[in-house]
Amino acid sequence: MPKKQARAAQLARQIQAVTGLPYTRCLKMCEPSEGSWVRLARALRAAGLSEAAAQLLAVDAVTTEVSTWFSAGGAIEGLFYYTDNERVQRTYDACSDAADAALNRVGFVRHSWGTDAEVYHAAFLALSKVGTLPDGRALARAALDVFADGPTWCSDIIRSRGRSSFTYDTAAGLTGPGTPTAVAARKAARAMARAAAVPFNGDEEWYEAAGIMVEVIWHAGEAAGMPPLEGRPNCQHHLRNFMDGEIPQQ
């Protein structure tokens, strides 16, 4: 049995024991899926960044486990909210504790942006790599896809550290070819470094970092060969209403 299927079956048994849901339903919740984080990991591996890819897959695995536990708690709530609220609360607490344990097991703290921050670290490494290549559009697209269409959400993530310290300082020394893809990728990576350096002081800094993250997504879209901010209405709104409709040229 493939490793992912074996892990899914083990988690399904754990969820069944906590919730009392049928095993087949639990297994359905645990079925492996491929999201943007996994696609970025594959692109990183293809570009020779195997260590970054492995770390990203590990983060994806634990966040998937956490979200599955909360989905299981939600399923019980949907079934018994009006008939057995005590069971709902007891089961949801148990599922929440299991989610916490999964995060703590690998060094994350609940209610932080740590897991997402590490994904942004991987995106930075990807864009930095694209900046050294004549044409790294596929890798740039994979990096672009992990950014949420929510500038203030991105603002919180980019300024979080993950499980351990990570430096964006390498952005300052990036060099590479003068192709549009490479130039745009270097701009995106440098903008990430600027956003990460904005302190957590208040709303002014929150919006400052959010605006810089719109720059990141704009330039990452250019590097990916896509129209900037295509399909990102929230980023477009932030650009129009908080940035005078212009991306600073740095």
Side-chain angles (χ1 to χ4, degrees), residues 1 10 74 76 113 133 150 188 205 250:
M1 180 183 294
Q10 181 182 31
I76 291 297
W113 302 99
L133 304 172
E205 289 78 14
Q250 299 191 26

Side-chain angles (χ1 to χ4, degrees), residues 29-114:
M29 292 181 186
C30 300
E31 286 181 352
S33 61
E34 181 177 307
S36 60
W37 296 10
V38 173
R39 291 192 294 272
L40 176 55
R42 288 185 175 178
L44 286 165
R45 183 178 290 118
L49 300 173
S50 298
E51 182 178 352
Q55 291 175 353
L56 181 53
L57 288 174
V59 172
D60 179 71
V62 72
T63 54
T64 298
E65 180 178 347
V66 168
S67 64
T68 304
W69 276 112
F70 282 115
S71 294
I76 291 297
E77 184 175 21
L79 288 170
F80 300 105
Y81 184 79
Y82 293 105
T83 58
D84 193 347
N85 194 55
E86 183 179 345
R87 176 179 177 178
V88 169
Q89 190 61 56
R90 182 176 65 251
T91 304
Y92 203 89
D93 288 346
C95 289
S96 181
D97 289 344
D100 281 347
L103 287 170
N104 293 335
R105 187 173 65 241
V106 293
F108 287 114
V109 178
R110 188 182 172 193
H111 300 311
S112 76
W113 302 99

Side-chain angles (χ1 to χ4, degrees), residues 145-189:
D145 285 348
V146 304
F147 296 124
D149 180 30
T152 50
W153 178 278
C154 293
S155 172
D156 285 322
I157 295 171
I158 192 66
R159 294 180 294 155
S160 301
R161 60 174 289 174
R163 286 172 291 185
S164 58
S165 59
F166 179 87
T167 179
Y168 287 91
D169 292 347
T170 54
L174 285 175
T175 59
T179 60
T181 294
V183 170
R186 293 196 296 271
K187 287 182 178 180

